[in-house]
Amino acid sequence: MSLTFALIQYNFNVGFIVGNVAKIKALYKLAVAAGADLAVFSEMAIIGYPPEDLVLSARFQELSMEAVEELAQITTQGTAMLIGGLWREGDALYNAIFLLDGGKIIHRQYKHHLPNYGVFDEQRVFTQGPIPEPVAWRGVKLGLLICEDMWLPDVAAHLKDKGAELLICINASPYEVGKASQREEIAAERVRETGLPLAYINQIGGQDDLVFDGGSFVLEVSGEICMRMHAFKEDLTLLHWTENSNKWKPTEGAVQHKPDVLESIYHAMMLGLRDFVNKNGYSGVVLGLSGGIDSALSAAVAVDALGCARVHTVMLPSPITSRESIEDAIECAKRLGARLDMIPIEPGMQAFETMMTPVFAGENFDIIAANNQTRLRASMLLAICSKEKALLLTTGNKSEMATGYTTIYGDMCGYYSVVKDIYKTMVYKLVEWRNTQGEVIPQRIITKAPSGETMPGQKDQDTLPPYDVLDEILFRMVEQQLSVEEVIAQGYDRTTVELVRTRLFGSEYKRRQSAPGVKITGMLFGRDRRYPITSAWKGEKLTLL
């Protein structure tokens, strides 16, 4: 006996039920034409993931359930469909998987383990389903899992005990560094525990600050991968199964390349930006190109994601801006093929100083004037965005966001960021990686000392520890959530660690108002790491207010 599955990892839009259903129908036709017995889609494919509080709308629930019925009606051509969506029973709302065949819903199953950590808060909107039973279909007992149901051993073990012969797990598992390997390792554990082969289908696409990277795969009973689909790309792949003595074996297929760390980060940045721009209807992006490394990397990602015709860079020099920065911005834009406009901001600076001098007479005006440069630039960039119906891309990295080394309503201003979750030291590594694919970022941008160039002679390291030290401390405080004493115990200077702690906890009000950005690490500000603005707790000791 044999079966053929069409494994489908595609990009679905949150809330766009009509559009998603149309895409699902088109993909289903391809599966039918390919002779598949079963077309397998990802978690919540019908409504997109994560739907967040959209699912609390009664009308949204009705349309979602009607879409399941509509899709069931087309399954009369010999090909069944396995797909994720939502379902309501009374007052209970479920994250569900549906097996559609012969024009009907022949099986409906609810997610048992609802994740409630990091970026997930499913317990807030969904009801836990009972531990599922296998479903008999066309001579095989299928063990179905929905994403988190695979990450813990009990659901797969129960399905095995009740006679399941193979496992299918549908997912909407977002990207972060190392996640692809982690998924494969957890899936292999379930396979070795149960002795059952497993097909894992993930979605792809960008949704606000989350990126779904695909990389669907199939494991043999040994736990070895016999097929892997593309990362960061839509894909439809046929999987053939053969049965012998009630043992089902997946036939080997193409094992696609799994990107390494730098390649995967770069592709996540591209996909997150592309979908944020396109799904929200922007014409393209506008960004300030300063001649520094953060804006250069952001511009490169934008061009690679959208094409140079949709990227408008703007150099906004002040009298303090160095000639080298102007030259570097011009050269970078030229290599990228992006439009560059040069708009000096000195007239605006002079007007601001004239207006504010009476108020600041006799007081130090330098820092105010320095911050105003970035706010003036933001106003000009926003004006261009309004004219072009484009997205303003902000370019502050994670090291700056962590320490508050940024101007609120100034260089923080923007609709989206591709480097928000990228530490400064990683920015350099990504630039070097991108240049191996074609040198688009001039070497001087990489080698010169970082500077905001808002005051004469300014360098980042005048205010912050060296970035290699700073990022190591931040990683321990943010990603590993270590205390000051624990960080110091690892060999770091107390004064430096306490300075970083002070800046980290004192900058929450800025981060709370920052633009969304691509999640890369396990501790994205605002999504994974959620701290109060007003708090006497500064990491170690009580501060009396």
Side-chain angles (χ1 to χ4, degrees), residues 354-395:
T354 298
M355 290 186 295
M356 298 303 293
T357 293
V359 178
F360 282 87
E363 297 183 39
N364 187 349
F365 188 66
D366 291 347
I367 294 178
I368 303 297
N371 286 336
N372 183 60
Q373 291 176 48
T374 66
R375 292 180 178 132
L376 180 58
R377 290 181 175 119
S379 295
M380 297 167 73
L381 292 170
L382 285 167
I384 295 171
C385 285
S386 296
K387 172 182 175 291
E388 299 179 1
K389 296 181 174 57
L391 174 148
L392 178 55
L393 193 62
T394 185
T395 61

Side-chain angles (χ1 to χ4, degrees), residues 159-197:
L159 289 167
K160 165 66 175 179
D161 290 344
K162 295 298 182 177
E165 297 169 273
L166 62 87
L167 301 174
I168 306 174
C169 183
I170 66 169
N171 302 266
S173 179
Y175 171 83
E176 64 183 56
V177 172
K179 190 72 169 289
S181 294
Q182 186 182 17
R183 294 184 199 116
E184 293 180 0
E185 290 165 4
I186 295 295
E189 288 181 18
R190 300 292 88 82
V191 168
R192 288 190 289 267
E193 291 162 0
T194 62
L196 299 178

Side-chain angles (χ1 to χ4, degrees), residues 34-48:
D37 297 291
L38 180 67
V40 186
F41 292 85
S42 55
E43 180 183 11
M44 287 284 178
I46 295 171
I47 64 173

Side-chain angles (χ1 to χ4, degrees), residues 2-302:
S2 63
L3 290 169
T4 299
F5 293 176
L7 306 184
I8 301 170
Q9 62 168 44
Y10 260 68
N11 192 340
F12 298 103
N13 288 14
V14 167
F16 191 26
I17 298 172
V18 172
N20 291 340
V21 167
K23 182 180 286 190
I24 291 163
K25 288 181 177 180
L27 292 165
Y28 175 77
K29 287 182 180 179
L30 294 178
V32 172
D37 297 291
L38 180 67
V40 186
F41 292 85
S42 55
E43 180 183 11
M44 287 284 178
I46 295 171
I47 64 173
Y49 189 90
E52 299 184 318
D53 284 5
L54 291 179
V55 300
L56 301 180
S57 162
R59 182 57 178 155
F60 188 83
Q61 295 168 16
E62 292 168 4
L63 292 174
S64 302
M65 294 168 69
E66 289 171 6
V68 179
E69 302 280 1
E70 181 182 345
L71 289 170
Q73 292 170 14
I74 70 170
T75 59
T76 57
Q77 304 176 63
T79 300
M81 182 187 302
L82 189 66
I83 194 164
L86 68 81
W87 199 261
R88 184 185 64 209
E89 287 188 15
D91 293 332
L93 191 64
Y94 297 98
N95 180 336
I97 186 172
F98 307 92
L99 181 57
L100 315 176
D101 198 6
K104 298 178 181 179
I105 302 172
I106 66 168
H107 179 72
R108 184 173 68 241
Q109 178 178 312
Y110 304 138
K111 192 171 184 177
H112 180 63
H113 289 297
L114 301 176
N116 200 53
Y117 55 86
V119 301
F120 304 106
D121 55 2
E122 288 196 23
Q123 292 181 22
R124 184 170 170 272
V125 292
F126 292 121
T127 300
Q128 182 183 37
I131 197 162
E133 304 294 324
V135 53
W137 172 80
R138 299 194 187 183
V140 60
K141 287 188 176 181
L142 303 175
L144 305 180
L145 306 100
I146 306 175
C147 203
E148 191 76 7
D149 291 342
M150 188 198 76
W151 288 74
L152 297 169
D154 58 335
V155 176
H158 179 80
L159 289 167
K160 165 66 175 179
D161 290 344
K162 295 298 182 177
E165 297 169 273
L166 62 87
L167 301 174
I168 306 174
C169 183
I170 66 169
N171 302 266
S173 179
Y175 171 83
E176 64 183 56
V177 172
K179 190 72 169 289
S181 294
Q182 186 182 17
R183 294 184 199 116
E184 293 180 0
E185 290 165 4
I186 295 295
E189 288 181 18
R190 300 292 88 82
V191 168
R192 288 190 289 267
E193 291 162 0
T194 62
L196 299 178
L198 182 148
Y200 180 102
I201 299 86
N202 194 22
Q203 75 171 32
I204 76 137
Q207 172 57 32
D208 295 343
D209 38 22
L210 301 183
V211 170
F212 299 89
D213 53 320
S216 304
F217 56 87
V218 180
L219 298 176
E220 298 178 339
V221 293
S222 64
E224 297 298 315
I225 288 179
C226 63
M227 188 181 78
R228 181 189 295 124
M229 296 166 72
H230 288 286
F232 302 103
K233 291 182 182 178
E234 292 182 326
D235 200 352
L236 188 157
T237 298
L238 295 181
L239 170 65
H240 303 289
W241 296 86
T242 56
E243 181 264 343
N244 184 16
S245 301
N246 293 325
K247 301 290 185 181
W248 286 87
K249 177 178 176 59
T251 59
E252 291 188 7
V255 179
Q256 301 294 346
H257 165 69
K258 183 164 65 174
D260 63 18
V261 170
L262 295 177
E263 182 183 0
S264 70
I265 291 174
Y266 198 88
H267 280 279
M269 295 160 74
M270 287 172 55
L271 181 54
L273 177 62
R274 183 188 302 122
D275 273 6
F276 196 88
V277 170
N278 292 340
K279 290 179 179 180
N280 286 294
Y282 293 107
S283 64
V285 302
V286 172
L287 74 152
L289 196 61
S290 67
I293 197 166
D294 299 313
S295 63
L297 175 60
S298 299
V301 171

